[in-house]
Amino acid sequence: MIKQFLSKLPRKLPKADQVDSLGGDSGNINANFSNGFQCTNVGSALSSKLNVVKRVSSAVFPTSIAAGVEPVEAHLSFKDVSNSQKPNLFVSKLNLCCEVHDYSDSEKQDIKRQTLIELVDFVSSGSAKFTEPAIAAVCKMCSVNLFRVFPPKYRSNCGGGETEDEEPIFDPAWSYLQIVYDLLLRFISYSSLDAKVAKKYIDHSFIVRLLDLFDSEDPRERDCLKTILHRIYGKFMVHRPFIRKAVSNIIYRFVFETERHNGIAELLEIFGSVISGFALPLKEEHKMFLWRALIPLHKPKSVGIYHQQLTYCVVQFIDKDPKLAGTVIKGLLKYWPITNSQKELMFISELEEVLEMTSMVEFQKIMVPLFRRIGCCLNSSHYQVAERAHLLWNNEHVLNLISHNRQVILPLVFSALERNAQNHWNQAVLNLTLNLRRMFCEMDEELVVACQRKLEEEDSRLRVAAEKRRLTWERLETAAGLQPLAGNILGSVKPATCSVAC
């Protein structure tokens, strides 16, 4: 039996030799199998063998197929392939999702959406290994699906995006855009992702186009972008200066050119946490961002949309360097609204937060122009502005600053308080004014009496000056009445004769 079994072995050897001889002629093999097959060479050319496999999706990167690993169909499930084939299947599915379909083709859209969900689940499971081809495929897929040009804005207002009274506009493609954003976020947050390799694909061009998406009118998309950009800023330290510069350019264009952008609030929310991480002492670049970007953001009419985030960023700067409080207050006074009462209310609220963090030395540098403006607010005919200005005295730190500098501050605001007490139309403001006067009397009664006397002297001088002007006008009118009428003067003038013969 053994002899019979061994006698059969040589009969199979010629077939193997025939295959070996075919494998040596790689040119002929590639020509014969180019229509439906792919060859994988293992070892030297003399010992290479032909491995016939299934057709690979045309979307697979050639460099992603490792030697000796069979490529797989992009439509297969990750559960149906071995662990060695999963990286290639991952890239195949990513490239399959690079195809852009029309919304009317619901079948292809459903296939793409299901494929994206499989990719997110695979990354979430922790089984993904982000090699360089996989990183390139992820960035390519995200670029194809996310980076797009938005349609022209058709809102009638001139504000910096959607206002509180307007309904947000939702992107009809959000059902799969959301999955792409989820995949990108999980990819960037992946613990084993090699940032040195990934930075070649998440480069300056990628970041600029990602920042352009912040102008989306869909608040859900802007919220996803906010989280993703924050993760990129934290993971890729080499890109941090560029991100700060790019965001500054967006703010410059918004403030000084267009006054239209939907994502200023989200960008400021990111920078709120970025500023809190700045090292001390602050770099000059960071201070320039405060002076040239954040403070001018108080200028646009649409400041109410992002004012909360802007105030937080400003307060974070002062928390890092209290000496910046004076600069911030000067900036507020520079852009202080005159005719926009709602904006003025926001400025007073921000001013109170800044004053809470202001030292006595910095306060004394700016208290004169500051309380001239506050005096105007106390005397405002808009009752909410006047009421909010009075409430500054309820803040203990602000009251402490005022009490230590009352010799300078009280003369600046006393006239406004007196005018309110005499003729302000709103009873609530009138009561606040009386309480404030009583507080100053308890603080320094002699100073209040001196201010009262000075105000009376000033009123007396103004009455004398007004009486003098009245008398001057009466003398002018009397003098004008003694002159001949203008008609008589004109009538005495003879018409000029025409020197041209008719």
Side-chain angles (χ1 to χ4, degrees):
M1 293 294 292
I2 295 175
K3 291 181 180 180
Q4 292 177 358
F5 178 78
L6 293 175
S7 64
K8 295 180 181 180
L9 291 177
R11 297 175 185 176
K12 295 184 178 182
L13 292 176
K15 294 183 180 180
D17 293 337
Q18 186 178 4
V19 174
D20 285 341
S21 63
L22 289 171
D25 190 2
S26 59
N28 292 333
I29 291 172
N30 290 333
N32 293 333
F33 293 92
S34 61
N35 291 329
F37 302 93
Q38 186 167 344
C39 302
T40 305
N41 297 326
V42 181
S44 63
L46 294 175
S47 62
S48 62
K49 300 180 183 293
L50 178 64
N51 295 317
V52 180
V53 297
K54 296 179 181 180
R55 181 187 296 272
V56 187
S57 172
S58 60
V60 178
F61 292 137
T63 57
S64 68
I65 304 175
V69 179
E70 293 183 356
V72 292
E73 286 280 355
H75 296 290
L76 291 176
S77 172
F78 284 104
K79 298 178 181 179
D80 299 333
V81 298
S82 63
N83 290 333
S84 61
Q85 292 175 318
K86 286 181 180 180
N88 291 334
L89 178 59
F90 181 68
V91 175
S92 299
K93 288 181 177 293
L94 285 169
N95 284 275
L96 183 65
C97 293
C98 288
E99 299 177 7
V100 180
H101 306 293
D102 189 76
Y103 290 125
S104 60
D105 194 343
S106 59
E107 183 179 354
K108 290 183 178 179
Q109 288 283 10
D110 291 340
I111 294 173
K112 181 176 181 178
R113 187 173 184 276
Q114 187 61 39
T115 305
L116 287 169
I117 292 174
E118 289 181 17
L119 290 170
V120 171
D121 292 340
F122 179 66
V123 175
S124 302
S125 67
S127 304
K129 294 181 179 179
F130 286 107
T131 59
E132 186 167 353
I135 293 172
V138 171
C139 294
K140 176 185 175 184
M141 189 275 294
C142 292
S143 299
V144 170
N145 287 279
L146 298 179
F147 299 157
R148 61 204 188 279
V149 178
F150 296 115
K153 297 179 178 63
Y154 59 86
R155 294 187 185 275
S156 59
N157 63 27
C158 299
E162 62 191 39
T163 63
E164 297 177 357
D165 299 331
E166 290 180 334
E167 291 293 330
I169 296 178
F170 298 108
D171 196 316
W174 180 247
S175 59
Y176 80 87
L177 283 178
Q178 181 183 14
I179 308 172
V180 178
Y181 276 119
D182 192 14
L183 179 62
L184 179 59
L185 177 60
R186 294 177 186 275
F187 162 69
I188 294 170
S189 305
Y190 208 72
S191 57
S192 61
L193 178 65
D194 190 348
K196 293 182 179 179
V197 178
K199 72 179 182 181
K200 294 193 296 185
Y201 301 95
I202 302 179
D203 55 3
H204 289 180
S205 175
F206 186 94
I207 292 171
V208 167
R209 299 192 69 185
L210 194 71
L211 285 170
D212 289 341
L213 296 177
F214 274 89
D215 201 20
S216 170
E217 297 199 3
D218 194 328
R220 301 169 298 182
E221 182 170 15
R222 299 198 302 268
D223 193 59
C224 288
L225 287 164
K226 176 183 65 178
T227 307
I228 289 170
L229 183 63
H230 191 267
R231 297 292 175 85
I232 291 175
Y233 189 91
K235 199 174 193 74
F236 300 94
M237 295 184 65
V238 67
H239 290 330
R240 290 182 181 181
F242 178 80
I243 293 174
R244 291 195 297 266
K245 184 177 180 181
V247 172
S248 297
N249 290 335
I250 292 175
I251 294 175
Y252 298 153
R253 195 178 307 114
F254 168 70
V255 173
F256 301 110
E257 294 180 15
T258 63
E259 289 199 7
R260 291 197 64 92
H261 198 282
N262 293 304
I264 298 297
E266 286 77 12
L267 290 172
L268 290 176
E269 193 170 341
I270 296 170
F271 266 78
S273 59
V274 168
I275 294 166
S276 63
F278 284 164
L280 295 176
L282 288 176
K283 296 180 181 179
E284 193 66 21
E285 172 205 346
H286 300 153
K287 294 180 182 179
M288 295 299 288
F289 179 74
L290 171 66
W291 298 331
R292 295 185 176 179
L294 294 185
I295 291 179
L297 273 174
H298 293 85
K299 177 185 176 183
K301 296 178 181 178
S302 57
V303 65
I305 299 173
Y306 54 83
H307 185 259
Q308 183 180 356
Q309 293 84 356
L310 177 60
T311 302
Y312 181 77
C313 289
V314 170
V315 169
Q316 288 297 309
F317 263 109
I318 299 174
D319 185 45
K320 288 287 181 181
D321 187 357
K323 293 181 180 179
L324 294 173
T327 302
V328 170
I329 293 174
K330 288 178 183 177
L332 287 174
L333 295 176
K334 178 181 179 181
Y335 295 108
W336 197 276
I338 305 301
T339 59
N340 190 333
S341 300
Q342 294 303 317
K343 190 174 176 182
E344 198 167 6
L345 287 171
M346 290 185 282
F347 272 53
I348 297 173
S349 298
E350 181 178 356
L351 178 63
E352 182 175 1
E353 292 193 41
V354 173
L355 287 174
E356 285 183 350
M357 308 182 69
T358 304
S359 64
M360 186 66 69
V361 175
E362 293 298 319
F363 178 77
Q364 290 173 347
K365 293 178 182 178
I366 47 83
M367 61 182 178
V368 173
L370 173 61
F371 277 87
R372 281 177 182 159
R373 173 53 59 190
I374 292 177
C376 295
C377 295
L378 291 171
N379 202 219
S380 173
S381 58
H382 193 287
Y383 79 97
Q384 290 180 329
V385 174
E387 192 175 44
R388 187 66 185 85
H390 281 82
L391 294 178
L392 287 174
W393 272 259
N394 290 351
N395 188 297
E396 291 184 6
H397 183 71
V398 176
L399 181 59
N400 182 58
L401 293 172
I402 293 172
S403 63
H404 280 81
N405 299 276
R406 58 184 179 273
Q407 299 290 339
V408 177
I409 294 174
L410 184 55
L412 295 174
V413 300
F414 191 80
S415 60
L417 296 176
E418 284 297 308
R419 285 195 294 270
N420 277 359
Q422 292 173 7
N423 55 18
H424 200 284
W425 65 273
N426 187 269
Q427 186 62 40
V429 174
L430 181 60
N431 293 336
L432 289 170
T433 299
L434 296 176
N435 291 336
L436 200 54
R437 281 193 60 183
R438 191 179 304 113
M439 184 186 300
F440 276 121
C441 287
E442 295 173 357
M443 192 183 298
D444 193 337
E445 188 173 359
E446 292 182 2
L447 181 60
V448 173
V449 172
C451 290
Q452 182 72 41
R453 190 183 305 114
K454 185 178 179 180
L455 182 61
E456 291 174 356
E457 292 174 357
E458 184 67 25
D459 289 342
S460 178
R461 283 198 299 270
L462 291 175
R463 284 195 296 269
V464 171
E467 182 66 19
K468 192 178 294 185
R469 281 196 304 272
R470 188 184 65 79
L471 294 174
T472 302
W473 279 108
E474 286 182 356
R475 287 197 299 270
L476 287 173
E477 290 172 358
T478 303
L482 296 176
Q483 297 296 328
L485 296 175
N488 295 338
I489 296 174
L490 293 175
S492 62
V493 178
K494 296 181 179 180
T497 58
C498 182
S499 58
V500 180
C502 296

